[in-house]
C-alpha cells in the first residue's frame, strides 16, 4: 500500500547550522511531494513542494531534492533560526486532489 | 482573505455518542479535505469533497462520513464514538480545479476527546 517513511523523528541543531530531513515513498505512481510545517496549536502550512518532473527546487533557505529512481526526497534548511523550530511533514500524492500520504513528522529544534 | 475556519475548536464526548465538525474553506475554494491527526498514526486522509461530491475516501470505517454544501462549507460526522477516535481533526481547502494537485490550506483543527 501507499506509505511514506520519514527520518529522523527528532532533530536538534544549533542556530545557523543546516538541517536535513529525509523521506522515502513506496508508490512509484506518486508525482507530487509537498513539505508542511506545523507549529504548536496550528494546522500544517506548506513551505515548499516539488513535482516528479523536477529534481531540485529552492526557495531562499529551503530546498528540496527528489530522486525518483530511489523513491527518495529530502528537505534542506540552511542557516537555521529559532523560528524554524516546528514539526515538519513530508507527503506524497498520485495526483488525487486533496489526498496526501504523510510521513510521521520530524520535530526540529533550533537552539539559539 | 480569511483562512480556513473550523468549529468547534475543542469538544469532549463519551463513547457511543456522535459528533459533527464544521469547516468553512477559504472563499472561492471548492475543494475541502479532512484529515485525522494522532500521535500514533500521524496525519491520515479521511475524505475529500469537491463541488459537493466526494472525490476520494481514505481507509476509515463507515462511522466517518462527510458532506459539502453548495457554499463549499463542509461537515464531517463520526457516529458511535470510540476511545480511539480521540484526535485532532483537520480540514484543508484548496483552490485547485477538479483533478490535479495543489497547496492545501489547513485550519487549526477541532480537537475531539472521547471519554
Amino acid at each position: 500500500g501507499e506509505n511514506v517513511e520519514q527520518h529522523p523523528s527528532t532533530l536538534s541543531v544549533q542556530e545557523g547550522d543546516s538541517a536535513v530531513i529525509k523521506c522515502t515513498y513506496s508508490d512509484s505512481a506518486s508525482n507530487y511531494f509537498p513539505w508542511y510545517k506545523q507549529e504548536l496549536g496550528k494546522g500544517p502550512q506548506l513551505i515548499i513542494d516539488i513535482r516528479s518532473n523536477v529534481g531540485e527546487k529552492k526557495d531562499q533557505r529551503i530546498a528540496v531534492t527528489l530522486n525518483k529512481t530511489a523513491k527518495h526526497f529530502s528537505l534542506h534548511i540552511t542557516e537555521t533560526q529559532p523560528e524554524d523550530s516546528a514539526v515538519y511533514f513530508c507527503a506524497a500524492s498520485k495526483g488525487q486532489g486533496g489526498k496526501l500520504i504523510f510521513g510521521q513528522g520530524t520535530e526540529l529544534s533550533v537552539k539559539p | 482573505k480569511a483562512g480556513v475556519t473550523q468549529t468547534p475548536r475543542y469538544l469532549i464526548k463519551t463513547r457511543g455518542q456522535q459528533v459533527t465538525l464544521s469547516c468553512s474553506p477559504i472563499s472561492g475554494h471548492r475543494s475541502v479535505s479532512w484529515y485525522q491527526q494522532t500521535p500514533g498514526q500521524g496525519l491520515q486522509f479521511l475524505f475529500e469533497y469537491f463541488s459537493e461530491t466526494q472525490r476520494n475516501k481514505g481507509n476509515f470505517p463507515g462511522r466517518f462520513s462527510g458532506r459539502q454544501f453548495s457554499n463549499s462549507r463542509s461537515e464531517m460526522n463520526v457516529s458511535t464514538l470510540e476511545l480511539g477516535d480521540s484526535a485532532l481533526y483537520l480540514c484543508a481547502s484548496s483552490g485547485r480545479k477538479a483533478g490535479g494537485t495543489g497547496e492545501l490550506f489547513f485550519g487549526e483543527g477541532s480537537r475531539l476527546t472521547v471519554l
Side-chain angles (χ1 to χ4, degrees):
Chain A
E2 302 163 299
N3 186 47
V4 175
E5 292 195 4
Q6 181 173 346
H7 299 282
S9 56
T10 61
L11 180 58
S12 181
V13 300
Q14 287 295 132
E15 182 177 0
D17 287 350
S18 294
V20 180
I21 303 171
K22 299 182 179 182
C23 290
T24 303
Y25 60 98
S26 62
D27 194 331
S28 56
S30 298
N31 57 18
Y32 174 65
F33 307 91
W35 286 85
Y36 282 82
K37 174 184 180 183
Q38 187 174 26
E39 297 176 332
L40 203 59
K42 297 188 177 181
Q45 183 176 14
L46 180 73
I47 55 171
I48 195 167
D49 57 10
I50 191 168
R51 297 185 185 272
S52 58
N53 58 347
V54 176
E56 185 174 355
K57 184 176 178 181
K58 190 173 181 180
D59 183 4
Q60 298 183 334
R61 297 186 296 109
I62 295 173
V64 58
T65 59
L66 171 65
N67 182 330
K68 285 190 295 183
T69 304
K71 290 190 280 188
H72 174 91
F73 59 114
S74 300
L75 177 72
H76 304 252
I77 305 174
T78 58
E79 301 172 22
T80 53
Q81 301 166 4
E83 50 265 38
D84 293 330
S85 296
V87 180
Y88 291 80
F89 292 94
C90 63
S93 167
K94 293 192 291 187
Q96 296 171 294
K99 180 179 180 180
L100 298 177
I101 306 300
F102 281 92
Q104 286 294 94
T106 296
E107 184 173 1
L108 174 64
S109 174
V110 180
K111 299 188 185 306
Chain B
K1 206 173 193 182
V4 176
T5 303
Q6 292 188 244
T7 56
R9 290 292 314 280
Y10 303 91
L11 65 167
I12 300 173
K13 294 285 187 179
T14 56
R15 281 182 299 173
Q17 288 187 311
Q18 66 95 27
V19 66
T20 298
L21 309 178
S22 179
C23 172
S24 293
I26 291 172
S27 178
H29 286 190
R30 292 157 62 190
S31 166
V32 174
S33 301
W34 289 89
Y35 285 82
Q36 181 194 65
Q37 186 173 25
T38 60
Q41 300 298 316
L43 281 155
Q44 292 188 289
F45 174 77
L46 280 156
F47 29 66
E48 179 192 14
Y49 287 86
F50 190 98
S51 293
E52 302 179 67
T53 302
Q54 188 179 90
R55 296 299 177 113
N56 228 324
K57 191 177 190 305
N59 297 322
F60 279 82
R63 300 185 296 107
F64 292 80
S65 63
R67 59 178 175 168
Q68 186 180 33
F69 302 95
S70 58
N71 62 357
S72 293
R73 189 177 70 86
S74 178
E75 289 181 346
M76 68 162 283
N77 184 276
V78 188
S79 62
T80 320
L81 285 166
E82 300 176 0
L83 295 178
D85 296 334
S86 294
L88 181 67
Y89 290 89
L90 291 161
C91 166
S93 74
S94 169
R96 65 172 183 82
K97 297 184 175 67
T101 52
E103 180 175 2
L104 298 184
F105 294 84
F106 283 87
E108 294 189 327
S110 293
R111 183 164 296 282
L112 170 66
T113 301
V114 182
L115 302 177

